[in-house]
Amino acid sequence: MNEDNTVTDDMKRQAAMFYNSTEREILREYSNETSWRFWRKRRLVVALLAFFGFFNVYALRVNLSVAVVAMTEPIEHVLDNGTIVYAPEFDWSSQTKGLVLSSFFYGYIVTQLPGGWLAAKIGGATSLLTLFTPPLAHTSTALLIAVRVVEGLFEGVTYPCIHAIWSRWAPSDERARLATFAFSGSYVGTVVSMPICSLLAHYTGWPGIFYVFGIIGLVYTTIWWLVVKESPEKDSHITAAELKYIQDSRGTQAVEGSKIRHPWRAMLTSGPVWAIVMAHFSENWGFYTLLTFLPTFMQDVFKFETSQTGWLSAVPYLAMAIVLQVAGHMADWLLRMRIMTRSNIRKLFNCGAFLAQTIFMVAAAYATSILGCIVCLTIAVGLGGFAWSGFSVNHLDIAPPHASVLMGLSNTIATLPGIVSPPLAGSIVTDKTAEQWRIVFFISSAIYLIGAIVYYIFCSAERQPWVVEFDNDASFDTDAASVTTARGVDNKALDSSEI
């Protein structure tokens, strides 16, 4: 009996050695063939299309921030008797403007938790509704608010959906750079759409903003539906080597996402979960405040025209888009070199960014020139890119099978700033003075500081004990033709640099 066991063990070891050596040769050949042809690596194709997805989502979200300036600034009207008067097309108070800008988030907050399921069913609806925004706005303000609420409902699926995608597509050592690359599309979309919205408002009138970006969104949605699959296992174009690498790094999923049973009580009482939630809330407070009101701030304090506000308002988001690329690669490099633990990397990037944002938001509040203000805001927003390599991938660290639900939870709470911040700023900035805008910046700074403290105390990047585990051991067949595993994984046989 002992001899039989010894023979079986020897056969398993030989099979494993043969498999590993053969696997290395396949992966090396795969790497050489596709090192510059990124489209042969399907996870990179998914990341690129996710990038353009966030680009599109934020272009659709930010268009009203620029359009509302054009909609409410005085324009020339010629009366029947020939008299020329100047009056805004929409004579909204600061409170009404704040309600219009925040209405998107009333719908957005509702669909965070069911986001993964809804994403495949309503992906193009926001783009379609955007096309109807101008006629509805001319009909009544109430209808404009209503359509923005519905747009928010449809866009609320985005972040939970992408975390469900990364839980299946992202190797563990590539999470930060793949996720931050995709997220950077949000800021590139903001950078590009703000000046384009200004130009469209200037040359075609503000309705052109919604028509152009609505059509672009519909085209993108069609491409996503045709190209991206739910998991690498369902992608007919993925190579065997890349599929094997992804599965061994993230662990073969033993159940479909819809069948995972989430430990809600444990999740809702977990310190690391609430650290993520607080960090996400803090980052979004500052981001949404600037996203919705920066063009208006430029107009109120520095007397900029509509065509100028879009260009200058885009500068801070350009900085963030660039920093996100650097931050993601740097976080993964520190992890790969074992210079710091995963938890300390997340704390360093997140808390360091928040503290810097606290300082530079206060500095922007006291800036007396447009150059000084833009420099401070650019640094504040740009350094926020490091925070996204902290809290935004932390869901995948602590609970990969539950990452999409945790992102839905954190983004639900993190959507509250989009609902509260614009009306609050509108109620503060009633006289459009620099002193009133300074209060808005102080509030953002204080929230960043609180977020940094909470995240530092409670953050962890270790897999949590309440995570649902699938304990299937690795098994080899005797001819070394296959290997399966339901948990992660011996990466000695697979080096991510070879993929």
Side-chain angles (χ1 to χ4, degrees):
M1 185 69 178
N2 291 336
E3 291 181 1
D4 290 341
N5 289 339
T6 302
V7 171
T8 302
D9 292 341
D10 288 341
M11 289 176 65
K12 285 185 177 181
R13 280 193 294 271
Q14 290 172 8
M17 290 173 62
F18 174 81
Y19 177 81
N20 291 341
S21 62
T22 304
E23 185 181 64
R24 274 182 153 321
E25 292 176 5
I26 294 173
L27 296 179
R28 189 177 294 109
E29 181 180 354
Y30 165 76
S31 179
N32 291 336
E33 287 182 353
T34 61
S35 57
W36 60 274
R37 288 176 287 188
F38 70 90
W39 57 89
R40 295 281 300 276
K41 298 180 180 181
R42 297 298 290 179
R43 67 189 185 279
L44 300 187
V45 173
V46 172
L48 182 63
L49 287 176
F51 169 91
F52 284 112
F54 282 105
F55 179 104
N56 177 61
V57 162
Y58 270 75
L60 293 172
R61 185 182 301 188
V62 79
N63 53 20
L64 186 60
S65 298
V66 178
V68 77
V69 178
M71 294 165 73
T72 57
E73 69 181 358
I75 58 175
E76 182 180 294
H77 295 272
V78 180
L79 303 181
D80 292 339
N81 60 7
T83 305
I84 298 175
V85 297
Y86 290 86
E89 186 173 356
F90 295 86
D91 191 13
W92 291 334
S93 65
S94 296
Q95 289 83 355
T96 301
K97 191 184 297 185
L99 179 60
V100 169
L101 290 171
S102 67
S103 57
F104 171 92
F105 298 99
Y106 287 95
Y108 186 78
I109 195 172
V110 174
T111 50
Q112 293 301 306
L113 289 175
W117 177 80
L118 289 168
K121 305 182 184 304
I122 56 176
T126 305
S127 302
L128 188 62
L129 287 170
T130 298
L131 297 174
F132 292 100
T133 300
L136 291 175
H138 280 121
T139 303
S140 77
T141 302
L143 280 178
L144 172 62
I145 292 173
V147 77
R148 290 294 288 182
V149 170
V150 177
E151 286 181 22
L153 281 169
F154 292 143
E155 276 199 22
V157 306
T158 312
Y159 279 94
C161 173
I162 201 61
H163 263 47
I165 292 289
W166 291 139
S167 70
R168 299 180 178 97
W169 276 96
S172 60
D173 290 342
E174 298 181 17
R175 287 172 185 163
R177 60 180 178 270
L178 287 176
T180 53
F181 174 73
F183 290 147
S184 69
S186 306
Y187 306 102
V188 176
T190 304
V191 168
V192 173
S193 62
M194 275 189 162
I196 290 178
C197 286
S198 293
L199 291 175
L200 288 171
H202 182 72
Y203 290 106
T204 71
W206 63 265
I209 295 173
F210 300 99
Y211 295 138
V212 169
F213 285 102
I215 292 171
I216 292 173
L218 288 174
V219 172
Y220 165 79
T221 301
T222 303
I223 295 173
W224 175 270
W225 277 347
L226 293 174
V227 175
V228 176
K229 307 303 177 186
E230 182 181 0
S231 66
E233 289 82 0
K234 296 182 179 180
D235 192 325
S236 60
H237 299 287
I238 195 170
T239 65
E242 183 179 14
L243 177 59
K244 175 64 183 157
Y245 170 58
I246 293 173
Q247 287 180 332
D248 280 4
S249 179
R250 56 124 225 242
T252 302
Q253 294 180 342
V255 297
E256 292 295 320
S258 60
K259 296 179 182 177
I260 293 176
R261 304 180 74 176
H262 303 292
W264 285 104
R265 179 176 296 180
M267 289 194 297
L268 294 176
T269 55
S270 170
V273 168
W274 287 104
I276 295 171
V277 170
M278 186 61 204
H280 202 165
F281 176 92
S282 302
E283 176 60 24
N284 275 14
W285 185 283
F287 177 72
Y288 285 149
T289 299
L290 294 179
L291 186 70
T292 52
F293 273 115
L294 192 52
T296 305
F297 167 73
M298 295 292 183
Q299 186 185 49
D300 288 350
V301 176
F302 298 105
K303 312 305 177 186
F304 273 63
E305 298 178 358
T306 306
S307 58
Q308 297 172 306
T309 57
W311 291 95
L312 282 176
S313 299
V315 173
Y317 303 105
L318 175 61
M320 192 169 200
I322 295 170
V323 170
L324 270 168
Q325 310 307 319
V326 176
H329 283 82
M330 187 180 297
D332 282 345
W333 179 81
L334 289 171
L335 184 61
R336 201 163 52 247
M337 295 292 103
R338 301 181 184 277
I339 294 174
M340 303 175 68
T341 65
R342 194 186 298 265
S343 295
N344 285 336
I345 291 171
R346 302 296 183 235
K347 288 182 180 182
L348 173 65
F349 279 60
N350 196 92
C351 299
F354 280 6
L355 291 175
Q357 288 176 296
T358 299
I359 294 169
F360 284 100
M361 286 289 278
V362 172
Y366 283 98
T368 56
S369 68
I370 184 61
L371 178 61
C373 182
I374 288 296
V375 168
C376 290
L377 289 178
T378 298
I379 295 173
V381 174
L383 290 177
F386 284 99
W388 281 87
S389 288
F391 75 86
S392 75
V393 293
N394 208 176
H395 316 76
L396 293 163
D397 296 328
I398 65 173
H402 315 293
S404 62
V405 171
L406 290 178
M407 172 54 90
L409 172 64
S410 72
N411 212 24
T412 297
I413 307 299
T415 300
L416 292 174
I419 296 173
V420 176
S421 175
L424 178 62
S427 64
I428 294 171
V429 187
T430 54
D431 299 323
K432 303 180 180 180
T433 64
E435 289 74 18
Q436 290 176 338
W437 277 108
R438 196 169 290 162
I439 297 172
V440 174
F441 283 79
F442 285 163
I443 294 172
S444 296
S445 295
I447 291 175
Y448 276 133
L449 182 59
I450 294 170
I453 295 170
V454 172
Y455 192 81
Y456 182 82
I457 294 172
F458 295 105
C459 166
S460 172
E462 301 302 320
R463 193 180 182 97
Q464 295 301 291
W466 42 262
V467 172
V468 175
E469 299 279 4
F470 309 113
D471 292 320
N472 294 342
D473 294 331
S475 61
F476 296 87
D477 63 8
T478 54
D479 63 0
S482 65
V483 60
T484 59
T485 177
R487 297 185 62 182
V489 35
D490 184 4
N491 281 325
K492 292 179 181 178
L494 291 171
D495 184 348
S496 62
S497 65
E498 294 182 334
I499 306 300

